Amino acid sequence: MNVLVVGSGGREHALVWKISRSPKVDKIYCAPGNAGIAEIAECVNIQPGDIQKLADFAFANRIALTVVGPEIPLVEGIVDFFQSKGLKIFGPVQKAALLEASKVFSKEMMIKYNVPTAKAEIFTDNNAAKNFLRVTDPPLVIKADGLAAGKGVMVAATTKEAEKAIGIIMEEKQFGESGNRIIIEECLKGEEVSFIVFTDGENIVPMVTSQDHKRVYDGGKGSNTGGMGAYSPAPVINENLSGKIIDEIIRPIISGLAAEGIRYKGVLYAGLMITDQGPKVLEFNVRYGDPETQVIMPCLKEDLVDLMNDVIDNKLSPRQLSWEDRSCVCVTCASGGYPGKYEKGKLISGLEELRDLKDIMVFHAGTKKQEEKVVTNGGRVLGVTALGKDIAQAAKRVYQAVEKIDFEGMHYRKDIGLRAIEKSAIKK
């Protein structure tokens, strides 16, 4: 069978890498892909938002399965369009994608169906939002309603910071129309974790847990990014807590959508805070996590293509998937200035040294080929990933690998996985 993966980041590279291991797959295409993906798939120059061209390509190349990586084409209805043309595609329909496209819709669904989440107020007027700050104690979280490339959430430690966040989102419109509505919610305390499942709208199959690192600097400081690294599994989640999350969060939201006439099929990502009162939802995403996919896929022992087809065909059997009895750590190597302004076209060195190392994978996120050389082409450039017997060993391996890579302005966090390592040390 021929498979088409839509997207160009580290998540898509990890998906292509995993799909390439399926004996059922003859050829993989990726639109538009990147320099790393080009080594294992044929990259085609079609942008993820060009749904008609993607469908035409799928017809012309007898694509048996299309896998959507980024959120924008899902929000724009690529699944609905492909299905209307009789093309097989993995991902939720447009109405289901509102869970990520609109934080207001998501919050309203959680409230309606009793899904534990932070207390919040919704505002369409910046003055009303600022007036609310006068009667509400910080810290607070200010969220743009719509998509903002993972950067539309601001944690304000003071009222002044909250006012600034409202100004950035609603007045300066740094995130465009995504800032027409905002949510102001309580700042939950605890440990964040990514809980991602496969679902066919009825059955739920959880993936191994993981933890993302959103802030740009060590210790969780600095601006929010699309993700500076991840590790798996997350020791904060045990079997009992996993069951609680499925019963109190995942199942109610899927059932709630069904009650609204929306069957959710695909991957559902719950960004959670494990608080003293139990797990609470920070956000829902409607696709594979990035960079979580880079640490999940190397641990999955089963055929990903079979799993995705089972979801599409309503044949997903509720069960525990088979996973490597190892840990995985991914460190994002980012361009100088990211998540702000950055330059592209910087020559990347050291990739050849890592190519054949056991249990080391380099997933390209923002790269391209230029005169047979690999250069930077985005804010997050590479996701260097390593497997190990535990988080400590995987982290040691991944940082040894990162030291071999270099490009002008490169920066990365040096504490990915540290929290898990410290917890493990305390237990011992």
Side-chain angles (χ1 to χ4, degrees):
M1 64 185 291
N2 295 341
V3 176
L4 170 64
V5 175
V6 177
S8 62
R11 164 185 49 220
E12 288 75 35
H13 192 174
L15 289 172
V16 168
W17 175 84
K18 185 62 181 175
I19 289 166
S20 72
R21 280 153 172 73
S22 172
K24 297 179 176 65
V25 174
D26 298 308
K27 187 172 178 67
I28 307 172
Y29 298 92
C30 190
N34 59 42
I37 292 172
E39 295 181 4
I40 48 176
E42 183 177 329
C43 294
V44 293
N45 189 23
I46 305 174
Q47 294 305 307
D50 200 335
I51 294 172
Q52 180 68 62
K53 275 191 178 179
L54 289 168
D56 291 344
F57 181 87
F59 269 120
N61 292 275
R62 298 182 180 180
I63 301 297
L65 172 65
T66 297
V67 182
V68 186
E71 63 274 17
I72 290 176
L74 294 170
V75 169
E76 292 179 351
I78 188 172
V79 173
D80 311 64
F81 187 78
F82 269 53
Q83 288 178 346
S84 72
K85 303 295 183 183
L87 292 164
K88 201 167 190 178
I89 185 168
F90 180 83
V93 295
Q94 188 172 31
K95 285 183 178 178
L98 271 174
L99 264 189
E100 181 168 357
S102 171
K103 292 183 178 66
V104 170
F105 173 81
S106 181
K107 183 66 72 172
E108 289 174 342
M109 285 291 295
M110 286 186 269
I111 293 168
K112 184 174 182 178
Y113 292 100
N114 299 311
V115 174
T117 186
K119 296 175 185 175
E121 295 289 338
I122 298 163
F123 296 93
T124 56
D125 178 78
N126 61 314
N127 291 319
K130 288 181 178 179
N131 287 336
F132 176 72
L133 298 180
R134 297 190 178 96
V135 295
T136 309
D137 293 329
L140 296 166
V141 181
I142 320 297
K143 296 180 176 181
D145 174 42
L147 299 176
K151 300 167 192 170
V153 177
M154 302 181 188
V155 180
T158 65
T159 300
K160 189 174 181 180
E161 287 180 7
E163 287 181 348
K164 183 180 178 182
I166 292 168
I168 288 170
I169 297 171
M170 299 196 82
E171 295 163 11
E172 297 175 22
K173 285 286 195 289
Q174 284 194 16
F175 308 112
E177 293 184 3
S178 291
N180 289 346
R181 294 190 294 180
I182 64 167
I183 292 176
I184 301 178
E185 64 182 31
E186 65 174 322
C187 185
L188 298 176
K189 294 181 179 179
E191 188 164 350
E192 281 191 54
V193 67
S194 302
F195 195 90
I196 310 174
V197 304
F198 293 102
T199 180
D200 59 6
E202 183 176 343
N203 296 304
I204 297 163
V205 176
M207 299 187 202
V208 67
T209 57
S210 55
Q211 190 170 86
D212 185 12
H213 296 65
K214 286 287 185 191
R215 299 286 185 157
V216 67
Y217 300 128
D218 289 0
K221 297 177 181 177
S223 304
N224 258 347
T225 72
M228 292 298 292
Y231 64 83
S232 177
V236 69
I237 301 288
N238 56 33
E239 193 172 331
N240 288 337
L241 190 52
S242 178
K244 184 181 178 74
I245 291 166
I246 289 173
D247 291 341
E248 297 182 6
I249 293 173
I250 304 297
R251 201 174 302 282
I253 202 71
I254 290 171
S255 299
L257 286 166
E260 305 287 329
I262 304 167
R263 180 161 185 160
Y264 191 104
K265 294 169 65 170
V267 165
L268 179 62
Y269 169 125
L272 308 175
M273 184 71 80
I274 309 303
T275 73
D276 291 340
Q277 296 80 43
K280 295 186 179 184
V281 178
L282 296 170
E283 65 175 356
F284 283 115
N285 291 333
V286 298
R287 33 72 190 186
Y288 291 99
D290 191 356
E292 292 94 338
T293 303
Q294 288 96 299
V295 293
I296 290 173
M297 288 302 137
C299 295
L300 180 62
K301 294 171 77 172
E302 305 195 22
D303 191 318
L304 179 62
V305 172
D306 285 345
L307 280 165
M308 292 190 289
N309 277 323
D310 285 347
V311 166
I312 296 168
D313 298 334
N314 301 324
K315 293 179 180 177
L316 190 67
S317 57
R319 60 193 174 91
Q320 292 295 318
L321 297 176
S322 179
W323 300 94
E324 291 277 355
D325 188 22
R326 293 191 287 174
S327 298
C328 194
V329 176
C330 172
V331 173
T332 298
C333 298
S335 293
Y338 176 81
K341 292 181 180 179
Y342 55 85
E343 295 180 356
K344 298 180 181 180
K346 305 300 183 183
L347 180 66
I348 304 171
S349 63
L351 292 173
E352 288 296 328
E353 291 186 58
L354 303 179
R355 187 178 299 277
D356 299 317
L357 291 183
K358 191 174 189 290
D359 293 334
I360 300 289
M361 294 131 290
V362 180
F363 296 120
H364 291 224
T367 67
K368 69 175 183 179
K369 275 284 187 75
Q370 188 171 290
E371 297 178 356
E372 299 307 308
K373 302 287 187 181
V374 179
V375 300
T376 65
N377 193 43
R380 291 187 293 173
V381 178
L382 301 169
V384 184
T385 306
L387 287 161
K389 66 180 181 180
D390 53 25
I391 299 291
Q393 187 186 69
K396 182 180 179 180
R397 285 178 175 173
V398 81
Y399 280 111
Q400 288 173 341
V402 167
E403 287 177 4
K404 297 180 185 297
I405 293 173
D406 186 53
F407 54 85
E408 184 184 330
M410 181 177 110
H411 68 96
Y412 57 92
R413 281 184 59 164
K414 299 174 180 63
D415 64 345
I416 305 298
L418 183 60
R419 180 178 288 184
I421 294 167
E422 290 174 343
K423 278 183 177 292
S424 178
I426 290 169
K427 287 180 180 179
K428 289 177 182 177

